[in-house]
């Protein structure tokens, strides 16, 4: 298990530490940036500048998550849907701006097979769920990342951090910090996976 965890950290931390176009704190990249030329779904604009492709896909770890009602689930039980996994904390200002966008995506695309899992920290599972409810967020699923084991396995060292996984549970993209999830570019990127084979 430790060897697997070390492998995740060794592979994902360099990915998240790559310099980003635009301001690292999340200021928009310039509109004149060209589309990123790589295989896979389209990446362009501010969203494309923030998202890092994972060229050699990694599978989401299978450590348990705890929901607001005390229910336990693992990522392998979520396969079959495109998954956005966002690590967040109640005290995080960027998270406060990011979570409503992700919740809207969850509501708009749940019929197409999108699932949004918000993995909180620094509070109990019940408090995290209550926090989201008080913010008026009802479509994204709230979980506690117990002892931050999933964050550690994925090399997450700040919030928010979001991973995109395909229907088979393979991580194909990652965003550290905020992203323009409401943009047409984000829509096109997600559509690539939502419209792909079930």
């Amino acid at each position: 298990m430790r060897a697997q965890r070390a492998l995740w950290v060794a592979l994902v931390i360099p990915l998240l530490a790559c310099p980003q176009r635009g301001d690292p704190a999340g200021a928009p990249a310039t509109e004149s940036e060209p589309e990123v030329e790589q295989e896979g779904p389209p990446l362009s604009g501010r969203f494309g500048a923030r998202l890092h492709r994972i060229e050699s896909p990694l599978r989401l770890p299978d450590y348990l998550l705890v929901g607001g009602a005390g229910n336990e689930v693992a990522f392998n039980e979520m396969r079959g849907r495109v998954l956005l996994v966002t690590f967040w904390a109640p005290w995080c200002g960027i998270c406060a701006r990011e979570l409503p966008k992700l919740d809207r995506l969850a509501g708009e695309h749940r019929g197409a097979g999108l699932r949004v899992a918000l993995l909180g920290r620094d509070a109990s599972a019940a408090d995290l769920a209550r926090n989201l409810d008080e913010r008026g967020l009802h479509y994204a699923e709230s979980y506690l990342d117990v002892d931050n084991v999933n964050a550690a396995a994925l090399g997450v060292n700040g919030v928010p951090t979001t991973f995109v996984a395909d229907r088979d549970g393979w991580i194909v993209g990652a965003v550290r910090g905020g992203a323009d999830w409401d943009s047409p570019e984000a829509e096109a990127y997600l559509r690539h996976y939502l419209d792909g084979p079930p």
Side-chain angles (χ1 to χ4, degrees), residues 143-159:
Y143 297 100
L144 170 65
D145 183 16
V146 180
D147 296 326
N148 297 316
V149 293
N150 288 283
L154 292 170
V156 173
N157 57 11
V159 292

Side-chain angles (χ1 to χ4, degrees), residues 4 27 31 52 55 64 75 142 157 166 171-172 174 187 193:
Q4 180 184 12
E31 292 297 327
H52 296 281
E55 297 300 331
L64 285 179
F75 285 125
S142 175
N157 57 11
D166 68 13
I171 300 172
V172 294
E187 174 80 17
Y193 295 105

